[in-house]
Amino acid sequence: MRIVRYLKNSKIAVALIVCLLIVQAFTDLALPNYTSQIVDVGIQQSGVEHAATEEMTARTHDLVAMMLPEGDEKTFEAAYDETDQGTYKLNAQGEREQAELDRMVSLPLVAIHYSHQIPDLDLDQALQAYQAGAVQKQQILDMLDKAKEQMGDMGDSIVDQQAIAAARAEYEQLGYNLSDMQMRYLVRIGLTMLGLAALGMAVAILVGFIASRTAAKVGATLRAKLFRQVVSFSDAEVQSFSAASLITRGTNDIQLVQMVTVMLLRMVLYAPILAIGGIIMVSRTNLAMSWIIVLAVVVIGVLIVVLMKVAMPKFKIMQKLIDRVNLVSREILTGLPVIRAFDRQPFEEQRFDVASTRLMKTQLFTNRVMTFMMPLMMLIMNGVSVLIVWVGGSYIDNGTIQTGDLIAFITYAMVIIMGFLMIGMISIMLPRADVAAQRVDEVLSKQPTICDPAPGKARDAELAGRTGGARIVFDDVSFKYGDSAECVLENLDFACEPGQTTAIIGSTGSGKSTVVKLIERFYDVTCGSITVDGVDVRDVSQEALRAQLGYVPQKAFLFSGTIQSNIAYSDEGMPEERVELAAQVAQAADFIASKAEGLDAEVSQGGTNVSGGQRQRLAIARALATEARAYLFDDSFSALDYKTDAALRQELHTRLGGKTVVIVAQRISTILHADKIVVLDDGRIVGQGTHDELMEGCEEYREIAMSQLSAEELNGGDAA
Ligand SMILES: Nc1ncnc2c1ncn2[C@@H]1O[C@H](COP(=O)(O)OP(=O)(O)OP(=O)(O)O)[C@@H](O)[C@H]1O
């Protein structure tokens, strides 16, 4: 069970909860016993608990002593002390042995109490005869045994009940106020019950508090781990899960795990304690009716199994359906302008509706099944109560049990059934949470395809501290994405020299962006190698490699914050001058100056409140603000107008003197003056050299150039 594993680091909290739950079970289980006492002793017996009264008259004392076997007589004599008034009071030793005394004195007391109803029996005479030695103890004991035998099976319980009546009569004879006694008893038991209830409540609150804290900690730890793991993923892993699913796993799934962890700590641990405690208490009350509880538990078991069989498959697909709704919503929200432009709202609404309705139907189904559960459970509980009253009624009738015992039995039966109910509810929730936990584990156990070399083997030191440009070399590089059969790049051989601009050009889908992504090591090459200053990119840590590179992605992405925080993204403490210089080189200074807040102007999430060109310029400034040795521009000038494009290239040329520049471009004018142009066609290099060389020797390049440039430009003029 995965969820239990998550509690590995919270052993102390779990142990504490178990201890507290035992206390809570003790209070919960003790209360019905007190209710039973209130009914049996407090009400029916007027608060008289024991047959062995606290005080008795000398006559009763002597008569009881006469009717006890010798061993018991000694104990009895030792338990009572004679008072100045000639009565006998229970002493401390007697209080300790009260249960034993009750057993002894019951029959003699009943005999004394009812003696006047038996003709020809004069106990006083018998006592005199006994004291005079005319009658032997054994004769009296035989007489008592015979009387008891005549009462049959019910003898014991009848004697117990009548003994209490006799004790009451004894108290009355001594002038005790019985209603005061009753009130004192009721108040004492009532206060004990209140105290127990308060303790139970305090413990329950404490358990809830610790359980919630522990579960919240489990949730937070899982979220942190998941986030760290997802951040370490390459594009391939993110794609394999899909961003929407990763979000559901990080939010909904972990939330479910957290919720069930609370239930696990509060209910799953409590249920067996309660059920076992209840069974022990019931066995003390009345075993004859236990079959009712067994029957109820079996019925509940069957009910839960049926419900699980019906609802479980639906529970299992629920998480996938939530994923789907997330995916569709994300796509629709991101593509809203396109949807509007093509007037596809009805279609998208329909798509969303399908995903949402499937989720709704599944949830409705499971909720409906669950709705059945509560009334059915109540039916079972009420049925059990009725059965107990019915069966118990006859037991009360023939004196086997008392009314209070019956009430206590009903309550214990409910406690046991509740325990099993809780186990049932959890057994429905747990598999669902287990699916969620499994989904989280899938992410956590996914091995990132891009890994750093072993700590001792990393060649970071060879790159650290170098200045000037970096020499990037592609040596017979081939690459294919994931499991796809075809190579996107094949046998690439070229070098990007320091202090030079290397341009990569080619038709759409020819693999230009992939080249840059391979330098950044977002993916690993399938064959061949890429080296930076002679060091294979796989032999250095990703951090060290990327510190050498300034990257501007094809799709400029900005974070919510300010212009300043976006440009200084690589280093929060970046000096203002560097931010300004980067903005200036990236041709963003003018538009920043036009903003009232300047560098502190707000940027919304994804940079949606700036234009495409401005976004590109800020993304360029962000890369230029780093201290990289090679700058990779992946089609980063496409949204710039020709003038800005030219000015930017001019600035790059002068400011980035010795650095390496790699420019992926669609527009030939952007790369016209590059030191080397690599022409890609369908993942293969079809030519490399300067513009002039390629115009002469590369058919594909000439075609692109002729389609984009005027005759004048082709003859040496500048497109800008
Ligand atoms: N994540 C990916 N998974 C699978 N295939 C991909 C992935 N990214 C790109 N491709 C495929 O690899 C090929 C090259 O893509 P790439 O983005 O490198 O081309 P490009 O030359 O930069 O195109 P463009 O000029 O349109 O940006 C394309 O055929 C594309 O379908």
Side-chain angles (χ1 to χ4, degrees):
M1 187 63 55
R2 286 177 181 82
I3 296 185
V4 176
R5 247 183 26 220
Y6 297 148
L7 288 169
K8 222 171 40 207
N9 297 328
S10 313
K11 285 193 197 101
I12 296 177
V14 174
L16 195 62
I17 287 176
V18 171
C19 295
L20 288 171
L21 286 178
I22 291 174
V23 176
Q24 195 185 342
F26 166 76
T27 59
D28 280 352
L29 291 170
L31 283 172
N33 221 355
Y34 284 104
T35 317
S36 148
Q37 284 181 26
I38 283 201
V39 175
D40 289 346
V41 181
I43 298 170
Q44 290 187 338
Q45 298 174 194
S46 311
V48 175
E49 281 180 89
H50 300 285
T53 51
E54 285 165 33
E55 193 175 356
M56 55 175 71
T57 56
R59 176 179 176 265
T60 310
H61 176 267
D62 293 347
L63 284 173
V64 170
M66 176 184 80
M67 288 185 241
L68 289 177
E70 256 154 36
D72 286 355
E73 188 186 344
K74 271 202 197 102
T75 315
F76 176 71
E77 294 282 9
Y80 282 89
D81 293 337
E82 193 171 0
T83 65
D84 298 341
Q85 291 80 33
T87 60
Y88 284 84
K89 270 212 156 156
L90 195 67
N91 58 26
Q93 188 188 337
E95 277 171 18
R96 279 196 302 276
E97 294 168 350
Q98 190 111 45
E100 179 67 6
L101 285 175
D102 283 348
R103 181 194 60 76
M104 291 177 198
V105 306
S106 290
L107 188 59
L109 265 190
V110 175
I112 297 166
H113 191 60
Y114 289 102
S115 63
H116 61 276
Q117 294 178 7
I118 305 170
D120 306 330
L121 179 65
D122 186 342
L123 277 180
D124 295 315
Q125 252 181 19
L127 182 62
Q128 272 174 16
Y130 172 69
Q131 282 169 347
V135 179
Q136 292 305 305
K137 195 180 253 301
Q138 195 51 49
Q139 285 173 283
I140 296 168
L141 294 179
D142 289 345
M143 193 182 73
L144 279 176
D145 279 347
K146 209 181 274 169
K148 195 162 172 227
E149 259 170 38
Q150 281 169 3
M151 291 186 224
D153 288 346
M154 311 308 297
D156 280 339
S157 66
I158 292 174
V159 167
D160 286 347
Q161 285 169 29
Q162 292 308 319
I164 294 290
R168 268 207 318 262
E170 186 70 20
Y171 278 124
E172 267 171 354
Q173 207 177 332
L174 283 164
Y176 277 68
N177 184 339
L178 275 181
S179 50
D180 272 1
M181 273 184 85
Q182 183 174 30
M183 196 43 78
R184 268 205 311 277
Y185 181 82
L186 288 177
V187 167
R188 180 162 62 84
I189 299 292
L191 285 180
T192 312
M193 287 179 82
L194 264 182
L196 276 176
L199 176 68
M201 189 180 72
V203 169
I205 292 174
L206 204 58
V207 167
F209 181 72
I210 302 175
S212 309
R213 249 182 85 100
T214 311
K217 210 172 102 191
V218 166
T221 314
L222 271 185
R223 264 194 299 276
K225 269 194 196 165
L226 192 94
F227 182 75
R228 229 174 296 135
Q229 177 78 347
V230 171
V231 168
S232 77
F233 278 169
S234 71
D235 287 8
E237 284 89 53
V238 174
Q239 252 178 29
S240 75
F241 286 107
S242 94
S245 178
L246 286 175
I247 292 173
T248 324
R249 288 168 203 241
T251 51
N252 198 290
D253 287 351
I254 293 185
Q255 183 67 28
L256 190 61
V257 169
Q258 191 172 325
M259 195 179 85
V260 171
T261 307
V262 177
M263 289 172 78
L264 191 85
L265 292 175
R266 293 181 67 172
M267 286 155 84
V268 176
L269 290 182
Y270 193 42
I273 298 177
L274 205 58
I276 292 170
I279 290 169
I280 293 173
M281 297 303 270
V282 157
S283 62
R284 280 206 208 156
T285 322
N286 190 298
L287 271 177
M289 288 194 289
S290 312
W291 63 268
I292 302 178
I293 296 176
V294 174
L295 179 72
V297 169
V298 170
V299 174
I300 289 175
V302 171
L303 182 69
I304 288 170
V305 169
V306 171
L307 288 181
M308 272 175 71
K309 277 258 174 294
V310 177
M312 200 51 73
K314 298 280 179 187
F315 271 136
K316 286 200 172 150
I317 59 167
M318 199 107 94
Q319 307 309 107
K320 285 210 179 90
L321 294 177
I322 297 174
D323 263 2
R324 177 78 193 150
V325 170
N326 269 357
L327 187 126
V328 176
S329 339
R330 253 173 72 94
E331 204 170 52
I332 292 176
L333 289 177
T334 325
L336 212 49
V338 184
I339 296 170
R340 289 213 184 101
F342 287 85
D343 218 4
R344 293 291 279 169
Q345 285 101 320
F347 171 77
E348 294 299 340
E349 271 167 27
Q350 165 83 12
R351 202 156 72 100
F352 181 78
D353 204 40
V354 169
S356 177
T357 310
R358 278 191 67 193
L359 179 62
M360 182 197 72
K361 280 192 177 151
T362 313
Q363 283 176 337
L364 265 183
F365 181 83
T366 51
N367 286 353
R368 275 190 197 129
V369 174
M370 289 299 115
T371 319
F372 267 102
M373 187 146 157
M374 227 36 219
L376 283 177
M377 296 297 179
M378 291 311 293
L379 189 73
I380 293 175
M381 283 193 149
N382 292 333
V384 166
S385 302
V386 172
L387 201 58
I388 293 175
V389 173
W390 189 11
V391 177
S394 58
Y395 285 119
I396 292 182
D397 199 30
N398 59 27
T400 318
I401 60 167
Q402 297 195 45
T403 323
D405 286 341
L406 184 72
I407 296 174
F409 188 85
I410 293 179
T411 321
Y412 286 129
M414 293 303 125
V415 166
I416 298 171
I417 294 173
M418 274 307 278
F420 281 96
L421 272 186
M422 279 193 232
I423 295 174
M425 303 259 275
I426 294 288
S427 53
I428 290 176
M429 288 301 287
L430 268 187
R432 214 186 131 193
D434 203 44
V435 173
Q438 190 183 341
R439 282 160 51 92
V440 174
D441 272 1
E442 268 168 26
V443 179
L444 293 181
S445 58
K446 180 93 181 176
Q447 222 32 51
T449 42
I450 307 294
C451 296
D452 284 342
K457 297 202 172 145
R459 295 168 65 188
D460 295 4
E462 294 177 40
L463 292 183
R466 290 196 186 216
T467 51
R471 185 164 192 269
I472 301 168
V473 178
F474 275 62
D475 182 13
D476 199 20
V477 169
S478 295
F479 173 74
K480 60 180 175 193
Y481 279 104
D483 299 330
S484 64
E486 293 208 357
C487 276
V488 172
L489 298 175
E490 271 178 83
N491 309 106
L492 300 199
D493 265 310
F494 69 94
C496 310
E497 302 293 346
Q500 289 193 1
T501 299
T502 307
I504 300 168
I505 197 164
S507 55
T508 298
S510 56
K512 306 182 292 294
S513 297
T514 308
V515 168
V516 175
K517 285 180 185 161
L518 289 181
I519 302 176
E520 276 282 343
R521 207 180 163 217
F522 293 154
Y523 298 93
D524 270 340
V525 296
T526 311
C527 292
S529 68
I530 299 172
T531 55
V532 173
D533 288 336
V535 181
D536 194 309
V537 290
R538 290 166 292 192
D539 292 342
V540 286
S541 69
Q542 294 166 71
E543 196 186 341
L545 170 70
R546 289 170 193 154
Q548 307 289 316
L549 310 170
Y551 172 62
V552 186
Q554 187 171 28
K555 212 170 134 207
F557 181 84
L558 298 182
F559 295 91
S560 53
T562 60
I563 292 181
Q564 204 272 349
S565 71
N566 267 288
I567 298 180
Y569 186 67
S570 58
D571 173 11
E572 277 170 59
M574 191 179 283
E576 183 110 356
E577 304 84 65
R578 216 164 98 202
V579 174
E580 279 168 5
L581 183 66
Q584 205 181 330
V585 177
Q587 304 301 303
D590 285 351
F591 109 80
I592 294 171
S594 70
K595 299 243 174 206
E597 300 97 332
L599 279 173
D600 293 324
E602 283 290 318
V603 174
S604 60
Q605 196 193 8
T608 43
N609 63 341
V610 292
S611 77
Q614 289 165 346
R615 203 158 47 233
Q616 259 191 354
R617 277 182 260 181
L618 290 181
I620 293 169
R622 177 171 62 198
L624 293 177
T626 64
E627 283 171 355
R629 297 172 54 222
Y631 292 97
L632 315 174
F633 299 97
D634 185 359
D635 209 2
S636 314
F637 307 135
S638 59
L640 306 182
D641 54 82
Y642 279 94
K643 203 170 134 231
T644 314
D645 183 354
L648 174 58
R649 275 183 288 116
Q650 185 56 45
E651 280 283 337
L652 287 180
H653 189 69
T654 40
R655 305 265 184 169
L656 299 181
K659 305 278 172 94
T660 313
V661 177
V662 179
I663 298 179
V664 167
Q666 297 271 9
R667 269 199 326 237
I668 217 153
S669 57
T670 308
I671 50 125
L672 209 56
H673 299 294
D675 301 289
K676 183 196 283 178
I677 300 169
V678 177
V679 187
L680 282 186
D681 184 34
D682 206 10
R684 294 165 184 275
I685 296 180
V686 287
Q688 50 182 311
T690 60
H691 169 73
D692 294 335
E693 287 164 3
L694 289 168
M695 281 304 281
E696 293 237 328
C698 180
E699 180 59 33
E700 288 80 359
Y701 184 79
R702 213 169 22 242
E703 272 176 25
I704 300 172
M706 302 230 291
S707 68
Q708 289 185 21
L709 300 178
S710 63
E712 185 194 334
E713 287 163 342
L714 285 171
N715 292 331
D718 197 332

